[in-house]
């Protein structure tokens, strides 16, 4: 199979594992996929509930949890590790900021249009941004917005639909 290239990332196995919350795709699954040459994805959904022993504050526990899952994944693989962040989540911004600060290779973001995703990129950040869309129209609206506001276009686009 042909490898999948996203900027400087190269997945020898052209498979992107879907982010699955709550607690389904964490470091274990993501690193296993990455070790096979695919793109492993940690779901950031509900981490505050999983890591509630760290803090009863959901937001703080979620940030801690995502850092922990990325650390565990990095210990288990040198492959590509992404983070799935749903736009509909109340702590969307926290999870995006944490994924970028912790140098996740790529963020996949759907369940809404992530129109402001590039605004979270910091100087020198290498995290790739991949919106999940369900139509060409959504992709067009998003690309126009990103380009006009941030001079940025998606590093990859995930297209999901019934067909
Ligand atoms: C148990 C489960 C949890 C999921 N959780 C998320 C999620 O948190 N965020 C998301 O963007 N998609 C989520 N999805 C969607 C998957 O990432 C994937 O995009 C979807 O299942 C389509 O792929 P498939 O046709 O191979 O199942 C979830 C899917 C499953 C089965």
């Amino acid at each position: 199979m042909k490898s999948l290239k996203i900027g400087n990332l190269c997945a020898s196995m052209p498979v992107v594992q879907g982010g699955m919350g709550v607690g389904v795709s964490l470091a274990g699954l993501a690193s296993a996929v990455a070790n096979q040459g695919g793109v492993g994805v940690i779901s950031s959904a509900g981490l505050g509930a999983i890591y509630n022993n760290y803090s009863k504050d959901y937001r703080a526990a979620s940030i801690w949890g995502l850092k922990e899952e990325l650390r565990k994944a990095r210990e288990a693989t040198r492959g590509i590790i992404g983070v799935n962040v749903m736009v509909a989540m109340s702590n969307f911004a926290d999870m995006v900021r944490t994924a970028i600060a912790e140098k996740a290779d790529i963020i996949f973001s759907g369940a809404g249009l992530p129109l402001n995703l590039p605004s979270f990129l910091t100087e020198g950040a290498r995290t790739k941004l991949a919106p999940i869309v369900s139509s060409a129209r959504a992709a067009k609206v998003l690309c126009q917005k990103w380009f006009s506001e941030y001079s940025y276009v998606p590093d990859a686009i995930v297209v999901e639909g019934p067909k």
Side-chain angles (χ1 to χ4, degrees), residues 19-89:
M20 287 175 279
V22 173
V24 176
S25 69
L26 296 177
L29 178 61
S31 60
V33 172
N35 275 333
Q36 297 304 314
V39 179
V41 178
I42 294 167
S43 165
S44 64
L47 286 173
I50 297 165
Y51 279 86
N52 69 353
N53 55 340
Y54 167 75
S55 168
K56 295 297 162 213
D57 177 58
Y58 182 84
R59 284 186 60 183
S62 297
I63 292 169
W64 172 264
L66 183 53
K67 286 184 184 171
E68 274 296 286
E69 291 303 321
L70 280 165
R71 184 188 60 73
K72 285 187 213 165
R74 292 294 184 214
E75 267 174 28
T77 185
R78 297 180 67 183
I80 303 172
I81 295 292
V83 175
N84 178 279
V85 188
M86 292 189 283
V87 178
M89 293 188 334

